[in-house]
């Protein structure tokens, strides 16, 4: 490379001094001759009669231009010591980390040559950051690019929330320039102000600007979305607005766990299709993706409003909880979600509570028994129910127990019936879950009986002790008459429970008879209707009595069979008792034989005595006669 001569260095220094002193004017013929740009391979060329003397590299694109149009408007290029190019024909400059990339620099290059530049919401943020990078201030030229882009953002972009959304989306790749220049803050504040002040009570089937505003905010990248929600909170926005925005954002960005769970309704082992699908997603997908999902969940939960008027449904909270468990969120976040679900549990349904029992590879390797491979995570639901009971007790401080709530009891009954189909569910977890609610919460135990019967059917190898323990959670007095009839004929129930069911059934029949008698005394004015009702009730009672007799007969047969089996069992397992019993039987036989022999001897002695006394009497008679 040839070193520049002294005359060239002196001329370049003089040129730089003239530019800094703003005493040189760029000839208009330079602008007039640079009438178009051409691209060849990875380079852009300014077509002009004057040869190019400056090459600028942005990313992997090289721009061949002139020095003077740039240094008169760009303070960065004017104050930078330019390096001679390798060919020796002009200078070379490389712009590192240029905001907006080569496309934005192309627009700036056209602006410097005097070509018309079209400012729009798609490019204004990048041009504003790039002009700040190049220091294109009013010091070098009036109406420079910084002032033009600032004015466009202030008077055009921020006057329309649609344009504001567009600019905010374009700022994703402009960090940290867009943050430092307050472009992100101004856009987020405008969107938050718009969301807080516009009406949101709009029918769901109407497309309008307000609904599009919420959808647009929900589609923002997480960091910008959190900035908007934080700004809404700072402006004391309504909780309904925040709740709606969070739900819409989660719908757009979080995976749908419920759709994956549709494939695990057919039970097999704990290694179900859902666990494999999630494990495959976590291994094949990048770790960064899982961390991003985890960060999204934690961010959304941190700004969830706690006010009841926020109208965040329990179904959405349970969806967040499932996703948090699958992506291994922090225990504190999972506990917070469980408490929120417990306070809104009345609005849940059974499908929402079916939380998968996902385990990663390390947990699966450390599993010691089949109990750890249950299909659903019952422990989470148990904690949710405990939070619900605690919340109800706080709401009813005067009463120490939770009042009966048919919605919650029906929900628990249906959930128990679903998890009872799992062959690996231990009886302890089922029983503890069934006893979470207090006794007075249930008005009828038909649903609980159905769940217990399903559990006994799925687990036929339960011992008699476990069956009795499981049935203790059910109160036979709270069963309806139909449930009693079914339970009385159910061979899966233990005998003690069947006896309790029969007793409660008799009590119910007597109560019905008493009610009929009372109704007969109060309805004497309508004898025909009363007679028809009485006939119907009598026939029903006769039918029930017949069925009850059949059940009693079957129960007696079962009791006899049980006694026989019990005797056989005792004979097989107690050899000492057998020998004692045999010796007793033999001794009884000996005693009987001795007694019989003694009786025979006595019977023989009696005739002899009689014969010996006969002659004596005759002799006495003879002596008396003589």
């Amino acid at each position: 490379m040839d070193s520049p001569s002294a005359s060239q260095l002196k001329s370049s220094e003089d040129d730089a001094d003239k530019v800094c002193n703003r005493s040189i004017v760029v000839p208009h013929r330079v602008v007039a001759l640079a009438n178009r740009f051409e691209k060849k391979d990875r380079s852009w060329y300014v077509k002009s009669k004057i040869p190019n003397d400056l090459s600028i590299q942005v990313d992997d694109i090289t721009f061949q231009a002139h020095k003077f149009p740039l240094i008169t408007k760009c303070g960065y290029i004017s104050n930078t010591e330019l390096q001679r190019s390798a060919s020796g024909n002009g200078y070379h400059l490389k712009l590192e980390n240029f905001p907006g990339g080569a496309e934005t620099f192309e627009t700036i290059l056209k602006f410097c040559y005097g070509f018309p530049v079209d400012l729009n919401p798609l490019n204004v943020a990048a041009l504003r950051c790039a002009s700040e990078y190049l220091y294109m201030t009013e010091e070098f030229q009036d109406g420079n690019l910084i002032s033009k882009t600032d004015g466009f953002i202030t008077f055009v972009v921020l006057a329309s929330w649609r344009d504001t959304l567009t600019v905010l989306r374009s700022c994703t790749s402009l960090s940290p320039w867009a943050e430092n220049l307050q472009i992100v803050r101004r856009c987020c504040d405008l969107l938050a102000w718009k969301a807080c002040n516009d009406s949101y009570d709009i029918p769901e089937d109407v497309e309008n600007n307000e609904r599009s505003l919420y959808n647009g905010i929900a589609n923002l990248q997480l960091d910008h979305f959190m900035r908007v929600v934080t700004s809404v909170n700072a402006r004391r926005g309504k909780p309904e607005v925040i709740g709606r925005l969070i739900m819409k954002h989660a719908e757009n960005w979080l995976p749908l766990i419920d759709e994956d769970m549709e494939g695990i309704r057919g039970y097999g082992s704990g290694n179900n299709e859902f666990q494999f699908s999630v494990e495959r997603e976590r291994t094949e997908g990048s770790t960064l993706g899982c961390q991003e999902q985890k960060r999204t969940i934690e961010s959304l939960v941190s700004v969830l409003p706690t006010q009841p008027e926020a109208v965040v449904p329990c179904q959405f909270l349970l969806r967040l909880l499932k996703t948090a468990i699958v992506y291994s969120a922090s225990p504190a976040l999972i506990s917070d979600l469980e408490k929120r679900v417990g306070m809104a549990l009345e609005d849940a349904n059974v499908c929402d509570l079916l939380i998968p029992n996902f385990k990663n590879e390390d947990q699966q390797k450390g599993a010691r028994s089949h109990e750890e491979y249950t299909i659903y995570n019952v422990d989470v639901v148990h904690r949710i129910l405990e939070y619900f009971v605690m919340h109800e007790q706080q709401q009813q401080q005067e009463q120490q127990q939770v009042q009966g709530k048919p919605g919650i009891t029906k929900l628990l009954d249906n959930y128990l019936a679903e998890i009872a189909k799992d062959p690996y569910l231990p009886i302890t977890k089922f029983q503890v879950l069934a006893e979470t609610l207090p006794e007075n919460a249930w008005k009828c135990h038909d649903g609980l009986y159905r769940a217990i019967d399903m559990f006994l059917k799925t687990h036929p190898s339960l011992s008699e002790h476990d069956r009795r323990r499981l049935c203790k959670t059910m109160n036979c007095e709270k069963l309806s008459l139909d449930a009693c009839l079914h339970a009385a004929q159910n061979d899966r129930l233990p005998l003690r429970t069947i006896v309790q069911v029969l007793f409660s059934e008799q009590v119910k029949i007597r109560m019905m008879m008493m009610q009929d008698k009372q109704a007969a005394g109060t309805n004497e004015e309508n004898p025909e209707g009363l007679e028809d009702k009485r006939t119907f009730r009598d026939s029903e009672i006769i039918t029930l009595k017949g069925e009850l007799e059949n059940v009693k007969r079957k129960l007696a047969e079962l009791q006899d069979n049980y006694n026989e089996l019990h005797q056989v069992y005792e004979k097989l397992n107690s050899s000492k008792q057998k020998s004692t019993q045999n010796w007793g039987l033999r001794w009884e036989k000996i005693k009987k034989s001795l007694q019989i022999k003694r009786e025979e001897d006595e019977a023989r002695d009696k005739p002899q005595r009689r014969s010996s006394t006969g002659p004596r009497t005759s002799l006495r008679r003879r002596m008396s006669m003589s």
Side-chain angles (χ1 to χ4, degrees), residues 166-230:
T166 303
V167 172
L168 191 57
R169 292 192 189 100
S170 68
C171 292
T172 304
S173 59
L174 298 175
S175 180
W177 290 93
E179 290 283 351
N180 297 334
L181 296 175
Q182 305 298 318
I183 299 176
V184 174
R185 182 190 62 79
R186 294 170 68 185
C187 292
C188 291
D189 289 346
L190 185 278
L191 294 175
W193 175 84
K194 187 72 174 174
C196 291
N197 290 277
D198 285 349
S199 174
Y200 55 87
D201 296 327
I202 301 165
E204 292 293 330
D205 56 346
V206 177
E207 288 294 336
N208 46 59
N209 295 342
E210 282 74 18
R211 288 198 62 198
S212 298
L213 170 65
Y214 293 114
N215 294 335
I217 295 175
N219 284 322
L220 290 173
Q221 186 259 349
L222 179 62
D223 293 335
H224 295 162
F225 175 79
M226 293 298 296
R227 292 283 294 271
V228 174
V229 174
T230 304

Side-chain angles (χ1 to χ4, degrees), residues 25 45 82 87 91 116 147 153 191 236 268 312 317 336 340 356 408 419 432 435 442 456 458 547 552-553 618:
V25 178
Y45 295 89
L82 301 177
S87 61
Y91 300 91
S147 61
I153 292 174
L191 294 175
R236 301 183 182 273
V312 179
L317 295 175
D336 185 21
R340 291 174 181 268
I408 293 298
I419 65 173
V432 169
E435 295 175 349
W442 271 281
L456 294 175
T458 310
E547 293 178 355
K552 287 182 178 179
R553 185 170 59 256
S618 61

Side-chain angles (χ1 to χ4, degrees), residues 40 79 194 331 398 450 524 624:
K40 294 181 181 180
N79 297 326
K194 187 72 174 174
E398 297 180 357
R450 179 170 63 91
E524 295 179 355
S624 61

Side-chain angles (χ1 to χ4, degrees), residues 35 77 87 143 151 284 433 461 522 566 595:
N35 52 7
I77 299 177
S87 61
E284 294 180 357
L433 193 63
S461 60
T522 56
H566 186 68
Q595 186 176 0

